[in-house]
Amino acid sequence: MRYAVNALQNFGKSLYGPVLILPIVGLFIAFGNVLGNGSLAGYLPFLGHPALQHTGQLIAKSAVSVLANLALVFAVGIPIGLAARDKGYAALTGLVTFIVFINAMNVTLQLQGELAPADQMRAAGQSMVLGVQFSGAMAIYSGHCFVAIIMLPVSMVLGVVMSEIWPFAQHGISAMALAIKGAGPFGVAVYGFLERILVPTGLHHLVYTPFLYTELGGTQDVCGTVYQGARNIYFAEMACPSVTQLSPTVVWDARGISKMFGLPAAALAMYMTAKPERRAAAKAILIPAALTSLLVGVTEPIEFSFLFIAPLLFVVHAVLTGIGMMLFYLLDVHAIGANGIIDFILYNLPLGTTKSNWPMYLLVGLIMAVLYFTVFRFLILRFNMKTPGREDDDQETRLYSKQEYQAKGTNDGLGEAIIEGLGGRANIEVVDNCYTRLRVTVRDVAVIDEPRLKATGAKAVIKQGNNVQVVYGLHVKKMREAVEMFL
């Protein structure tokens, strides 16, 4: 079981790179839409200039091309995330393997006479990638070359095997998508709950990623091209002038409701229930955490402020996240809101209130803010939870310990301190990071020194099998670089 969890965590971590690129693509689509959206020219006449219109269309349509080649992005990005070292060679091998794999599937389908015509590919469960349709003396060939030599025939065999297996897998995926859709608001609520409750384990990526980038999140024809996955669909619809309203599949990326409204309201509840003599200290740490969640959708600073001291609150937070997404579904909201208010404004305002009924999103958000505040305040007072500002007299009001890190002001000795907290060089196998966490695979998790890690600025330390996640926040890349320098 431990090895299965480790494998899932490593795979989830490998998805981080490709997934992180997509919001950046979305920002370019949104920016292009601002310049090329003719309806905005009625309010800002200078946007009607042909040069700006053409520039906007160029930016938006160029960015959409990434969505059309998403399989290639993941084929290169996943090996980078999985490789412990020589990530460039891993990416190159992944690219070559993928090209051979899809061509092997194509040839197999041709030989079997099962290659569907272009207009029937979707019904047959087939697709098009890179123009290919598919469902000693030898020392010079050692190392990276040996991997490529092995993977080429393996990918050919896999291509043949998958051409036989995939129709059944495709049928299973389609059946699952229909079942989830048939579950209506309940299915959406369960999805939202699971996406949040798995955050401490790092496995939440495996919940939302299939819905955002595969058929599980819906299939839609947008401007003559078929897109799969909620995020791919709404990004394409943003850049398509003939789309009058965003698809309802956008509900699978409505995760920003709890980020923009729920958690800031929870922070307010924690502040209001703090001891009078500690409110100033609580405010000093809760406001930055709430703003981080509101503006950019990074929730871990505030989530981890109550995760370990009041686990019940985190479970309630996951339940309320599901309820918020269920309201989104029931009220027929079709606005984009996956992260913070900055993304929300850039994505929705240029689309207008017809294509994106974003005022309804705000209504759902306000309802959830009231619900979060009421429930959190009641539970904190009812069970006397030691949230920030309610600690015992001999405890400090804080979200995490960062005094030593701030005192240093530089990375001098930081990497070495983190390594010591992780049990020393000999205990470390792989070091990587995601958006806010240092992810480390260690040999012996029992020798991890949590107090030493928290003295380097860690908000929390999560152990799962041989995987250790040290939560630092947005500056985690600096921590990883400091560790790699000493390793």
Side-chain angles (χ1 to χ4, degrees):
M1 183 64 183
R2 185 185 70 180
Y3 296 107
V5 172
N6 286 345
L8 287 173
Q9 285 190 328
N10 288 334
F11 181 71
K13 177 188 69 176
S14 71
L15 296 174
Y16 170 73
V19 168
L20 184 61
I21 290 176
L22 271 298
I24 299 172
V25 171
L27 290 175
F28 275 97
I29 294 174
F31 179 66
N33 198 40
V34 169
L35 296 180
N37 191 331
S39 60
L40 287 179
Y43 303 97
L44 301 172
F46 72 92
L47 290 177
H49 193 282
L52 286 178
Q53 291 285 307
H54 294 162
T55 301
Q57 293 174 23
L58 171 66
I59 294 172
K61 292 180 179 179
S62 297
V64 167
S65 65
V66 176
L67 306 181
N69 295 281
L70 201 58
L72 186 63
V73 173
F74 279 93
V76 174
I78 289 176
I80 294 175
L82 290 175
R85 56 184 183 275
D86 297 326
K87 295 178 180 290
Y89 286 103
L92 180 60
T93 302
L95 173 61
V96 172
T97 300
F98 180 69
I99 292 173
V100 174
F101 172 73
I102 60 173
N103 277 277
M105 291 186 70
N106 176 268
V107 172
T108 302
L109 292 171
Q110 286 186 46
L111 294 175
Q112 295 175 340
E114 297 180 1
L115 199 64
D119 58 346
Q120 299 177 22
M121 285 193 301
R122 179 178 172 185
Q126 298 177 16
S127 184
M128 187 80 72
V129 176
L130 297 177
V132 178
Q133 187 176 337
F134 68 93
S135 183
M138 297 297 290
I140 190 174
Y141 297 113
S142 63
H144 311 303
C145 295
F146 180 73
V147 175
I149 291 171
I150 292 297
M151 287 309 301
L152 288 178
V154 168
S155 60
M156 293 176 193
V157 173
L158 285 176
V160 174
V161 172
M162 288 302 294
S163 65
E164 299 293 336
I165 295 177
W166 185 250
F168 301 100
Q170 180 68 38
H171 177 74
I173 293 173
S174 299
M176 188 181 298
L178 289 173
I180 293 171
K181 185 176 181 181
F186 176 74
V188 174
V190 170
Y191 166 83
F193 170 78
L194 291 175
E195 192 276 329
R196 279 295 92 186
I197 201 68
L198 290 176
V199 164
T201 68
L203 297 178
H204 57 300
H205 303 295
L206 301 181
V207 175
Y208 69 79
T209 302
F211 285 86
L212 299 190
Y213 305 111
T214 75
E215 186 182 347
L216 282 177
T219 302
Q220 190 75 20
D221 189 315
V222 182
C223 281
T225 303
V226 176
Y227 294 91
Q228 294 183 338
R231 183 168 286 179
N232 297 334
I233 291 171
Y234 72 67
F235 277 163
E237 288 177 336
M238 286 170 59
C240 181
S242 63
V243 173
T244 57
Q245 186 181 87
L246 296 176
S247 301
T249 55
V250 73
V251 67
W252 303 115
D253 210 13
R255 298 170 297 131
I257 295 173
S258 63
K259 299 175 182 179
M260 287 185 277
F261 299 94
L263 287 175
L268 178 60
M270 286 186 269
Y271 169 73
M272 295 299 293
T273 56
K275 297 176 181 179
E277 65 273 17
R278 292 197 174 215
R279 280 190 177 177
K283 180 171 68 173
I285 60 175
L286 287 172
I287 288 180
L291 286 177
T292 301
S293 180
L294 171 66
L295 295 177
V296 295
V298 175
T299 61
E300 288 181 333
I302 191 169
E303 284 176 335
F304 280 95
S305 70
F306 60 79
L307 174 59
F308 295 107
I309 56 176
L312 175 62
L313 290 181
F314 192 82
V315 175
V316 170
H317 164 48
V319 172
L320 292 176
T321 298
I323 292 174
M325 295 187 70
M326 183 177 67
L327 281 178
F328 184 102
Y329 177 91
L330 292 172
L331 295 178
D332 193 29
V333 183
H334 43 87
I336 304 168
N339 294 303
I341 196 70
I342 296 175
D343 287 355
F344 180 82
I345 292 172
L346 288 175
Y347 289 164
N348 291 285
L349 263 60
L351 301 180
T353 56
T354 301
K355 191 170 183 177
S356 163
N357 62 345
W358 54 266
M360 289 297 295
Y361 189 108
L362 297 180
L363 175 62
V364 172
L366 292 174
I367 292 173
M368 292 310 301
V370 172
L371 192 56
Y372 261 85
F373 177 81
T374 304
V375 173
F376 267 63
R377 184 179 184 278
F378 170 77
L379 291 175
I380 291 170
L381 294 176
R382 177 67 178 81
F383 297 103
N384 191 27
M385 295 177 173
K386 304 300 182 181
T387 49
R390 294 177 59 83
E391 301 88 354
D392 295 330
D393 292 338
D394 59 344
Q395 293 181 328
E396 180 186 1
T397 299
R398 59 175 181 168
L399 291 185
Y400 55 91
S401 175
K402 60 179 181 180
Q403 290 83 354
E404 291 82 0
Y405 174 69
Q406 289 179 330
K408 290 179 183 295
T410 68
N411 283 344
D412 293 342
L414 182 61
E416 189 172 9
I418 296 174
I419 291 171
E420 290 176 0
L422 292 169
R425 288 181 173 85
N427 194 44
I428 298 173
E429 292 185 343
V430 180
V431 178
D432 210 332
N433 72 278
C434 66
Y435 201 41
T436 56
R437 307 181 189 190
L438 187 69
R439 293 173 175 255
V440 187
T441 302
V442 298
R443 291 185 172 86
D444 184 5
V445 74
V447 299
I448 300 299
D449 188 342
E450 290 192 33
R452 186 181 291 272
L453 288 173
K454 289 184 177 180
T456 65
K459 302 176 180 66
V461 179
I462 305 168
K463 304 172 185 177
Q464 194 77 29
N466 285 80
N467 284 291
V468 178
Q469 300 177 28
V470 188
V471 183
Y472 280 110
L474 296 176
H475 59 283
V476 66
K477 183 181 178 182
K478 183 165 55 178
M479 302 301 191
R480 191 203 76 212
E481 291 172 347
V483 170
E484 289 178 340
M485 184 183 303
F486 277 89
L487 288 177

